[in-house]
Amino acid sequence: MHRIRLCRVRISRPAAPLDTFPKRPRPPHCFSTSRPSPSMERVYLDHAATTPLDPEVFEVMKPYLLEEYGNASSVHQLGRQARVAMEGARERVADCLWAESSEIVFTSGGTEADNLALKGVLGAASTEAGSEAGLVTSTAEHKAVVEPARRMMEQGRPVTLLSPDAHGAVTPEQVEAALDEDTALVSLMHTNNEIGVQTDIPAVAAVCDKHDVLLHCDAVQAAGLQPLDVEALGVDLLSLSGHKFYGPKGIGVLYVRNGVDLGPLVEGGSQERDRRGGTQNVAGAIGLAEALERAVTEAEERAERLTRLQRRLVVGLDEAVPGPYVCNTPLDEAPVAPHVVNVAFPPVGDEPLDGEMLILNLDMQGILVSAGSACTSGALEPSHVLTALGLDRPTASAAVRFSLGAKTTEEDIDEALDALHSTLQRMR
């Protein structure tokens, strides 16, 4: 048999003169022509998205990544050591929340914790009742709650999506009016991740308790800045995510009050007392516990310092922003987190501001912030939180969320304001 060898043949073509290629028009709102030098200092103002891992937390984790690497489900020595470390981390987290260690479920993060709370509680309640158990939540929740809620609606489960008040919070009166005989769970955020407004969770808990309904609280943005005593809050379930308070990514917590019937979201193992199957992330749990302890200890000091920086940023906006803007974080009108300021820029005349290009231009100047919207398949979609507040689409699509952190300084705030001023002047 003869083998035929296939070859690629390169065909050379004469190069076309440069002036024969059509020039593409420059978009009206394009990047700055300046490029940051490799040595440019970055001002990171996106701590609501993630925080840097505390080096001291990493040092505590290292032995369980390199030497004490056993599977906590194994019965040999390394496995037993890992299990002891895992349960120690569970105890430490429980102490921070004024909970019992048996009430702590480790997850892969806040999104999984939210999904486990909703699907686990409602699935178990529906099985017990023999009918579809209902959910009450709001349109301004994190997508980890809103998307499962909408999917449940599509599947025929009774779901009520409340509209937030003018500041973005949900009132106890709204919750009480929405409860009916089918409602098994209310899920509301403690601190909104986009605008920082806080809901009165203890007051909502009192309503839920009166009607014998469970309450889940996404407290991801509150951890380390607000007291999270689960007894004082009155919650039945509470979600946390390690990387929001200088712990590692890929690890979270769902607090589940003893006695709450919770079906598993992830099946395939008996870990986490049959509530979350899969090999346990020992190093991650230890890192989360260490970071949470540090955050709880320093919470008051951190919050006071961030409040001063937040005020400096808000006061500076009037001078920095050429033209109209909307501050979506109601600092003087409602309780808010100390680390978030959300600002949107309405159209000037008939000309909307390109929100994505605004973020990228700030990035080119070393200012790292988030938009109040998400880029999906190349199309900029307005934030569901901002549209729930009643902002029109062009304004909601041109929003910036500044979120401050442990290393943020007054100089960082001033640099961000300067960059915002020059960028908006150029774009407008």
Side-chain angles (χ1 to χ4, degrees), residues 182-204:
D182 294 324
T183 307
L185 180 68
V186 172
S187 179
L188 292 175
M189 198 181 270
H190 181 292
T191 300
N192 190 278
N193 60 305
E194 290 198 28
I195 61 175
V197 72
Q198 296 176 336
T199 290
D200 188 348
I201 294 298
V204 173

mmCIF file with all atom_site columns, all heavy atoms in Angstrom, residues 182-204:
data_model
loop_
_atom_site.group_PDB
_atom_site.id
_atom_site.type_symbol
_atom_site.label_atom_id
_atom_site.label_alt_id
_atom_site.label_comp_id
_atom_site.label_asym_id
_atom_site.label_entity_id
_atom_site.label_seq_id
_atom_site.pdbx_PDB_ins_code
_atom_site.Cartn_x
_atom_site.Cartn_y
_atom_site.Cartn_z
_atom_site.occupancy
_atom_site.B_iso_or_equiv
_atom_site.pdbx_formal_charge
_atom_site.auth_seq_id
_atom_site.auth_comp_id
_atom_site.auth_asym_id
_atom_site.auth_atom_id
_atom_site.pdbx_PDB_model_num
ATOM 1   N N   . ASP A 1 182 ? -49.262 29.081 50.641 1.00 0.00 ? 182 ASP A N   1
ATOM 2   C CA  . ASP A 1 182 ? -48.269 28.282 49.907 1.00 0.00 ? 182 ASP A CA  1
ATOM 3   C C   . ASP A 1 182 ? -46.833 28.666 50.239 1.00 0.00 ? 182 ASP A C   1
ATOM 4   O O   . ASP A 1 182 ? -45.905 27.911 49.943 1.00 0.00 ? 182 ASP A O   1
ATOM 5   C CB  . ASP A 1 182 ? -48.474 28.429 48.393 1.00 0.00 ? 182 ASP A CB  1
ATOM 6   C CG  . ASP A 1 182 ? -49.785 27.828 47.923 1.00 0.00 ? 182 ASP A CG  1
ATOM 7   O OD1 . ASP A 1 182 ? -50.185 26.791 48.482 1.00 0.00 ? 182 ASP A OD1 1
ATOM 8   O OD2 . ASP A 1 182 ? -50.408 28.413 47.014 1.00 0.00 ? 182 ASP A OD2 1
ATOM 9   N N   . THR A 1 183 ? -46.628 29.859 50.803 1.00 0.00 ? 183 THR A N   1
ATOM 10  C CA  . THR A 1 183 ? -45.269 30.367 51.005 1.00 0.00 ? 183 THR A CA  1
ATOM 11  C C   . THR A 1 183 ? -44.530 29.541 52.050 1.00 0.00 ? 183 THR A C   1
ATOM 12  O O   . THR A 1 183 ? -44.985 29.388 53.180 1.00 0.00 ? 183 THR A O   1
ATOM 13  C CB  . THR A 1 183 ? -45.287 31.838 51.449 1.00 0.00 ? 183 THR A CB  1
ATOM 14  O OG1 . THR A 1 183 ? -46.070 32.608 50.533 1.00 0.00 ? 183 THR A OG1 1
ATOM 15  C CG2 . THR A 1 183 ? -43.868 32.394 51.481 1.00 0.00 ? 183 THR A CG2 1
ATOM 16  N N   . ALA A 1 184 ? -43.358 29.034 51.655 1.00 0.00 ? 184 ALA A N   1
ATOM 17  C CA  . ALA A 1 184 ? -42.505 28.275 52.573 1.00 0.00 ? 184 ALA A CA  1
ATOM 18  C C   . ALA A 1 184 ? -41.205 29.008 52.880 1.00 0.00 ? 184 ALA A C   1
ATOM 19  O O   . ALA A 1 184 ? -40.577 28.731 53.902 1.00 0.00 ? 184 ALA A O   1
ATOM 20  C CB  . ALA A 1 184 ? -42.192 26.897 51.995 1.00 0.00 ? 184 ALA A CB  1
ATOM 21  N N   . LEU A 1 185 ? -40.815 29.934 51.991 1.00 0.00 ? 185 LEU A N   1
ATOM 22  C CA  . LEU A 1 185 ? -39.506 30.577 52.140 1.00 0.00 ? 185 LEU A CA  1
ATOM 23  C C   . LEU A 1 185 ? -39.554 32.010 51.629 1.00 0.00 ? 185 LEU A C   1
ATOM 24  O O   . LEU A 1 185 ? -40.135 32.287 50.576 1.00 0.00 ? 185 LEU A O   1
ATOM 25  C CB  . LEU A 1 185 ? -38.433 29.794 51.357 1.00 0.00 ? 185 LEU A CB  1
ATOM 26  C CG  . LEU A 1 185 ? -37.000 30.330 51.404 1.00 0.00 ? 185 LEU A CG  1
ATOM 27  C CD1 . LEU A 1 185 ? -36.416 30.186 52.813 1.00 0.00 ? 185 LEU A CD1 1
ATOM 28  C CD2 . LEU A 1 185 ? -36.115 29.607 50.390 1.00 0.00 ? 185 LEU A CD2 1
ATOM 29  N N   . VAL A 1 186 ? -38.917 32.908 52.370 1.00 0.00 ? 186 VAL A N   1
ATOM 30  C CA  . VAL A 1 186 ? -38.626 34.271 51.917 1.00 0.00 ? 186 VAL A CA  1
ATOM 31  C C   . VAL A 1 186 ? -37.113 34.381 51.785 1.00 0.00 ? 186 VAL A C   1
ATOM 32  O O   . VAL A 1 186 ? -36.375 33.935 52.669 1.00 0.00 ? 186 VAL A O   1
ATOM 33  C CB  . VAL A 1 186 ? -39.151 35.323 52.918 1.00 0.00 ? 186 VAL A CB  1
ATOM 34  C CG1 . VAL A 1 186 ? -38.664 36.727 52.536 1.00 0.00 ? 186 VAL A CG1 1
ATOM 35  C CG2 . VAL A 1 186 ? -40.674 35.284 52.988 1.00 0.00 ? 186 VAL A CG2 1
ATOM 36  N N   . SER A 1 187 ? -36.634 34.947 50.684 1.00 0.00 ? 187 SER A N   1
ATOM 37  C CA  . SER A 1 187 ? -35.193 35.124 50.469 1.00 0.00 ? 187 SER A CA  1
ATOM 38  C C   . SER A 1 187 ? -34.910 36.579 50.133 1.00 0.00 ? 187 SER A C   1
ATOM 39  O O   . SER A 1 187 ? -35.356 37.078 49.094 1.00 0.00 ? 187 SER A O   1
ATOM 40  C CB  . SER A 1 187 ? -34.702 34.230 49.329 1.00 0.00 ? 187 SER A CB  1
ATOM 41  O OG  . SER A 1 187 ? -33.308 34.416 49.110 1.00 0.00 ? 187 SER A OG  1
ATOM 42  N N   . LEU A 1 188 ? -34.196 37.263 51.033 1.00 0.00 ? 188 LEU A N   1
ATOM 43  C CA  . LEU A 1 188 ? -33.856 38.671 50.822 1.00 0.00 ? 188 LEU A CA  1
ATOM 44  C C   . LEU A 1 188 ? -32.405 38.923 51.202 1.00 0.00 ? 188 LEU A C   1
ATOM 45  O O   . LEU A 1 188 ? -31.883 38.346 52.159 1.00 0.00 ? 188 LEU A O   1
ATOM 46  C CB  . LEU A 1 188 ? -34.768 39.578 51.649 1.00 0.00 ? 188 LEU A CB  1
ATOM 47  C CG  . LEU A 1 188 ? -36.243 39.640 51.237 1.00 0.00 ? 188 LEU A CG  1
ATOM 48  C CD1 . LEU A 1 188 ? -37.030 40.489 52.224 1.00 0.00 ? 188 LEU A CD1 1
ATOM 49  C CD2 . LEU A 1 188 ? -36.401 40.180 49.818 1.00 0.00 ? 188 LEU A CD2 1
ATOM 50  N N   . MET A 1 189 ? -31.796 39.816 50.477 1.00 0.00 ? 189 MET A N   1
ATOM 51  C CA  . MET A 1 189 ? -30.405 40.172 50.673 1.00 0.00 ? 189 MET A CA  1
ATOM 52  C C   . MET A 1 189 ? -30.239 41.107 51.872 1.00 0.00 ? 189 MET A C   1
ATOM 53  O O   . MET A 1 189 ? -31.077 41.974 52.108 1.00 0.00 ? 189 MET A O   1
ATOM 54  C CB  . MET A 1 189 ? -29.951 40.897 49.389 1.00 0.00 ? 189 MET A CB  1
ATOM 55  C CG  . MET A 1 189 ? -28.487 41.001 49.152 1.00 0.00 ? 189 MET A CG  1
ATOM 56  S SD  . MET A 1 189 ? -28.225 41.914 47.606 1.00 0.00 ? 189 MET A SD  1
ATOM 57  C CE  . MET A 1 189 ? -28.208 40.577 46.447 1.00 0.00 ? 189 MET A CE  1
ATOM 58  N N   . HIS A 1 190 ? -29.169 40.923 52.618 1.00 0.00 ? 190 HIS A N   1
ATOM 59  C CA  . HIS A 1 190 ? -28.857 41.848 53.714 1.00 0.00 ? 190 HIS A CA  1
ATOM 60  C C   . HIS A 1 190 ? -28.352 43.170 53.146 1.00 0.00 ? 190 HIS A C   1
ATOM 61  O O   . HIS A 1 190 ? -28.860 44.253 53.470 1.00 0.00 ? 190 HIS A O   1
ATOM 62  C CB  . HIS A 1 190 ? -27.803 41.230 54.624 1.00 0.00 ? 190 HIS A CB  1
ATOM 63  C CG  . HIS A 1 190 ? -27.415 42.078 55.803 1.00 0.00 ? 190 HIS A CG  1
ATOM 64  N ND1 . HIS A 1 190 ? -26.732 43.269 55.686 1.00 0.00 ? 190 HIS A ND1 1
ATOM 65  C CD2 . HIS A 1 190 ? -27.639 41.914 57.131 1.00 0.00 ? 190 HIS A CD2 1
ATOM 66  C CE1 . HIS A 1 190 ? -26.539 43.795 56.886 1.00 0.00 ? 190 HIS A CE1 1
ATOM 67  N NE2 . HIS A 1 190 ? -27.086 42.998 57.779 1.00 0.00 ? 190 HIS A NE2 1
ATOM 68  N N   . THR A 1 191 ? -27.345 43.105 52.276 1.00 0.00 ? 191 THR A N   1
ATOM 69  C CA  . THR A 1 191 ? -26.711 44.286 51.670 1.00 0.00 ? 191 THR A CA  1
ATOM 70  C C   . THR A 1 191 ? -26.658 44.080 50.171 1.00 0.00 ? 191 THR A C   1
ATOM 71  O O   . THR A 1 191 ? -26.075 43.103 49.697 1.00 0.00 ? 191 THR A O   1
ATOM 72  C CB  . THR A 1 191 ? -25.291 44.477 52.222 1.00 0.00 ? 191 THR A CB  1
ATOM 73  O OG1 . THR A 1 191 ? -25.353 44.663 53.644 1.00 0.00 ? 191 THR A OG1 1
ATOM 74  C CG2 . THR A 1 191 ? -24.608 45.676 51.577 1.00 0.00 ? 191 THR A CG2 1
ATOM 75  N N   . ASN A 1 192 ? -27.251 44.999 49.420 1.00 0.00 ? 192 ASN A N   1
ATOM 76  C CA  . ASN A 1 192 ? -27.289 44.841 47.973 1.00 0.00 ? 192 ASN A CA  1
ATOM 77  C C   . ASN A 1 192 ? -25.896 44.986 47.376 1.00 0.00 ? 192 ASN A C   1
ATOM 78  O O   . ASN A 1 192 ? -25.166 45.935 47.683 1.00 0.00 ? 192 ASN A O   1
ATOM 79  C CB  . ASN A 1 192 ? -28.234 45.868 47.343 1.00 0.00 ? 192 ASN A CB  1
ATOM 80  C CG  . ASN A 1 192 ? -28.477 45.586 45.882 1.00 0.00 ? 192 ASN A CG  1
ATOM 81  O OD1 . ASN A 1 192 ? -27.683 45.944 45.033 1.00 0.00 ? 192 ASN A OD1 1
ATOM 82  N ND2 . ASN A 1 192 ? -29.585 44.913 45.587 1.00 0.00 ? 192 ASN A ND2 1
ATOM 83  N N   . ASN A 1 193 ? -25.527 44.053 46.523 1.00 0.00 ? 193 ASN A N   1
ATOM 84  C CA  . ASN A 1 193 ? -24.167 44.010 45.975 1.00 0.00 ? 193 ASN A CA  1
ATOM 85  C C   . ASN A 1 193 ? -23.888 45.106 44.963 1.00 0.00 ? 193 ASN A C   1
ATOM 86  O O   . ASN A 1 193 ? -22.727 45.414 44.687 1.00 0.00 ? 193 ASN A O   1
ATOM 87  C CB  . ASN A 1 193 ? -23.900 42.648 45.331 1.00 0.00 ? 193 ASN A CB  1
ATOM 88  C CG  . ASN A 1 193 ? -24.850 42.343 44.188 1.00 0.00 ? 193 ASN A CG  1
ATOM 89  O OD1 . ASN A 1 193 ? -26.068 42.373 44.351 1.00 0.00 ? 193 ASN A OD1 1
ATOM 90  N ND2 . ASN A 1 193 ? -24.306 42.047 43.031 1.00 0.00 ? 193 ASN A ND2 1
ATOM 91  N N   . GLU A 1 194 ? -24.923 45.724 44.403 1.00 0.00 ? 194 GLU A N   1
ATOM 92  C CA  . GLU A 1 194 ? -24.695 46.757 43.391 1.00 0.00 ? 194 GLU A CA  1
ATOM 93  C C   . GLU A 1 194 ? -24.808 48.173 43.941 1.00 0.00 ? 194 GLU A C   1
ATOM 94  O O   . GLU A 1 194 ? -24.032 49.047 43.553 1.00 0.00 ? 194 GLU A O   1
ATOM 95  C CB  . GLU A 1 194 ? -25.669 46.578 42.225 1.00 0.00 ? 194 GLU A CB  1
ATOM 96  C CG  . GLU A 1 194 ? -25.379 45.346 41.400 1.00 0.00 ? 194 GLU A CG  1
ATOM 97  C CD  . GLU A 1 194 ? -26.032 45.407 40.032 1.00 0.00 ? 194 GLU A CD  1
ATOM 98  O OE1 . GLU A 1 194 ? -26.239 46.520 39.517 1.00 0.00 ? 194 GLU A OE1 1
ATOM 99  O OE2 . GLU A 1 194 ? -26.326 44.334 39.487 1.00 0.00 ? 194 GLU A OE2 1
ATOM 100 N N   . ILE A 1 195 ? -25.752 48.408 44.830 1.00 0.00 ? 195 ILE A N   1
ATOM 101 C CA  . ILE A 1 195 ? -25.952 49.781 45.309 1.00 0.00 ? 195 ILE A CA  1
ATOM 102 C C   . ILE A 1 195 ? -25.692 49.934 46.803 1.00 0.00 ? 195 ILE A C   1
ATOM 103 O O   . ILE A 1 195 ? -25.687 51.050 47.315 1.00 0.00 ? 195 ILE A O   1
ATOM 104 C CB  . ILE A 1 195 ? -27.367 50.289 44.963 1.00 0.00 ? 195 ILE A CB  1
ATOM 105 C CG1 . ILE A 1 195 ? -28.440 49.420 45.631 1.00 0.00 ? 195 ILE A CG1 1
ATOM 106 C CG2 . ILE A 1 195 ? -27.565 50.328 43.455 1.00 0.00 ? 195 ILE A CG2 1
ATOM 107 C CD1 . ILE A 1 195 ? -29.855 49.935 45.435 1.00 0.00 ? 195 ILE A CD1 1
ATOM 108 N N   . GLY A 1 196 ? -25.499 48.833 47.519 1.00 0.00 ? 196 GLY A N   1
ATOM 109 C CA  . GLY A 1 196 ? -25.100 48.902 48.923 1.00 0.00 ? 196 GLY A CA  1
ATOM 110 C C   . GLY A 1 196 ? -26.221 49.118 49.923 1.00 0.00 ? 196 GLY A C   1
ATOM 111 O O   . GLY A 1 196 ? -25.959 49.145 51.127 1.00 0.00 ? 196 GLY A O   1
ATOM 112 N N   . VAL A 1 197 ? -27.472 49.270 49.480 1.00 0.00 ? 197 VAL A N   1
ATOM 113 C CA  . VAL A 1 197 ? -28.564 49.513 50.418 1.00 0.00 ? 197 VAL A CA  1
ATOM 114 C C   . VAL A 1 197 ? -28.826 48.264 51.246 1.00 0.00 ? 197 VAL A C   1
ATOM 115 O O   . VAL A 1 197 ? -28.649 47.138 50.775 1.00 0.00 ? 197 VAL A O   1
ATOM 116 C CB  . VAL A 1 197 ? -29.835 49.963 49.671 1.00 0.00 ? 197 VAL A CB  1
ATOM 117 C CG1 . VAL A 1 197 ? -30.469 48.799 48.907 1.00 0.00 ? 197 VAL A CG1 1
ATOM 118 C CG2 . VAL A 1 197 ? -30.833 50.589 50.618 1.00 0.00 ? 197 VAL A CG2 1
ATOM 119 N N   . GLN A 1 198 ? -29.261 48.465 52.490 1.00 0.00 ? 198 GLN A N   1
ATOM 120 C CA  . GLN A 1 198 ? -29.466 47.350 53.408 1.00 0.00 ? 198 GLN A CA  1
ATOM 121 C C   . GLN A 1 198 ? -30.948 47.203 53.751 1.00 0.00 ? 198 GLN A C   1
ATOM 122 O O   . GLN A 1 198 ? -31.652 48.193 53.964 1.00 0.00 ? 198 GLN A O   1
ATOM 123 C CB  . GLN A 1 198 ? -28.640 47.556 54.682 1.00 0.00 ? 198 GLN A CB  1
ATOM 124 C CG  . GLN A 1 198 ? -27.146 47.563 54.402 1.00 0.00 ? 198 GLN A CG  1
ATOM 125 C CD  . GLN A 1 198 ? -26.304 47.871 55.621 1.00 0.00 ? 198 GLN A CD  1
ATOM 126 O OE1 . GLN A 1 198 ? -26.778 48.505 56.556 1.00 0.00 ? 198 GLN A OE1 1
ATOM 127 N NE2 . GLN A 1 198 ? -25.064 47.436 55.615 1.00 0.00 ? 198 GLN A NE2 1
ATOM 128 N N   . THR A 1 199 ? -31.390 45.961 53.804 1.00 0.00 ? 199 THR A N   1
ATOM 129 C CA  . THR A 1 199 ? -32.768 45.645 54.185 1.00 0.00 ? 199 THR A CA  1
ATOM 130 C C   . THR A 1 199 ? -32.816 45.353 55.684 1.00 0.00 ? 199 THR A C   1
ATOM 131 O O   . THR A 1 199 ? -31.875 44.786 56.254 1.00 0.00 ? 199 THR A O   1
ATOM 132 C CB  . THR A 1 199 ? -33.267 44.436 53.370 1.00 0.00 ? 199 THR A CB  1
ATOM 133 O OG1 . THR A 1 199 ? -33.429 44.834 52.007 1.00 0.00 ? 199 THR A OG1 1
ATOM 134 C CG2 . THR A 1 199 ? -34.590 43.905 53.893 1.00 0.00 ? 199 THR A CG2 1
ATOM 135 N N   . ASP A 1 200 ? -33.909 45.728 56.313 1.00 0.00 ? 200 ASP A N   1
ATOM 136 C CA  . ASP A 1 200 ? -34.087 45.498 57.755 1.00 0.00 ? 200 ASP A CA  1
ATOM 137 C C   . ASP A 1 200 ? -34.433 44.023 57.971 1.00 0.00 ? 200 ASP A C   1
ATOM 138 O O   . ASP A 1 200 ? -35.603 43.643 58.102 1.00 0.00 ? 200 ASP A O   1
ATOM 139 C CB  . ASP A 1 200 ? -35.194 46.408 58.293 1.00 0.00 ? 200 ASP A CB  1
ATOM 140 C CG  . ASP A 1 200 ? -35.294 46.364 59.817 1.00 0.00 ? 200 ASP A CG  1
ATOM 141 O OD1 . ASP A 1 200 ? -34.684 45.473 60.432 1.00 0.00 ? 200 ASP A OD1 1
ATOM 142 O OD2 . ASP A 1 200 ? -36.006 47.222 60.381 1.00 0.00 ? 200 ASP A OD2 1
ATOM 143 N N   . ILE A 1 201 ? -33.400 43.190 58.006 1.00 0.00 ? 201 ILE A N   1
ATOM 144 C CA  . ILE A 1 201 ? -33.603 41.753 58.091 1.00 0.00 ? 201 ILE A CA  1
ATOM 145 C C   . ILE A 1 201 ? -34.280 41.332 59.402 1.00 0.00 ? 201 ILE A C   1
ATOM 146 O O   . ILE A 1 201 ? -35.200 40.501 59.375 1.00 0.00 ? 201 ILE A O   1
ATOM 147 C CB  . ILE A 1 201 ? -32.268 41.007 57.895 1.00 0.00 ? 201 ILE A CB  1
ATOM 148 C CG1 . ILE A 1 201 ? -31.754 41.212 56.458 1.00 0.00 ? 201 ILE A CG1 1
ATOM 149 C CG2 . ILE A 1 201 ? -32.409 39.520 58.189 1.00 0.00 ? 201 ILE A CG2 1
ATOM 150 C CD1 . ILE A 1 201 ? -32.655 40.663 55.378 1.00 0.00 ? 201 ILE A CD1 1
ATOM 151 N N   . PRO A 1 202 ? -33.899 41.866 60.583 1.00 0.00 ? 202 PRO A N   1
ATOM 152 C CA  . PRO A 1 202 ? -34.616 41.458 61.805 1.00 0.00 ? 202 PRO A CA  1
ATOM 153 C C   . PRO A 1 202 ? -36.114 41.742 61.741 1.00 0.00 ? 202 PRO A C   1
ATOM 154 O O   . PRO A 1 202 ? -36.919 40.938 62.233 1.00 0.00 ? 202 PRO A O   1
ATOM 155 C CB  . PRO A 1 202 ? -33.929 42.289 62.892 1.00 0.00 ? 202 PRO A CB  1
ATOM 156 C CG  . PRO A 1 202 ? -32.552 42.519 62.383 1.00 0.00 ? 202 PRO A CG  1
ATOM 157 C CD  . PRO A 1 202 ? -32.729 42.709 60.899 1.00 0.00 ? 202 PRO A CD  1
ATOM 158 N N   . ALA A 1 203 ? -36.502 42.868 61.138 1.00 0.00 ? 203 ALA A N   1
ATOM 159 C CA  . ALA A 1 203 ? -37.930 43.186 61.027 1.00 0.00 ? 203 ALA A CA  1
ATOM 160 C C   . ALA A 1 203 ? -38.630 42.215 60.080 1.00 0.00 ? 203 ALA A C   1
ATOM 161 O O   . ALA A 1 203 ? -39.764 41.787 60.334 1.00 0.00 ? 203 ALA A O   1
ATOM 162 C CB  . ALA A 1 203 ? -38.117 44.622 60.554 1.00 0.00 ? 203 ALA A CB  1
ATOM 163 N N   . VAL A 1 204 ? -37.975 41.863 58.984 1.00 0.00 ? 204 VAL A N   1
ATOM 164 C CA  . VAL A 1 204 ? -38.542 40.878 58.068 1.00 0.00 ? 204 VAL A CA  1
ATOM 165 C C   . VAL A 1 204 ? -38.633 39.516 58.754 1.00 0.00 ? 204 VAL A C   1
ATOM 166 O O   . VAL A 1 204 ? -39.612 38.776 58.587 1.00 0.00 ? 204 VAL A O   1
ATOM 167 C CB  . VAL A 1 204 ? -37.697 40.788 56.777 1.00 0.00 ? 204 VAL A CB  1
ATOM 168 C CG1 . VAL A 1 204 ? -38.179 39.645 55.893 1.00 0.00 ? 204 VAL A CG1 1
ATOM 169 C CG2 . VAL A 1 204 ? -37.739 42.103 56.000 1.00 0.00 ? 204 VAL A CG2 1
#
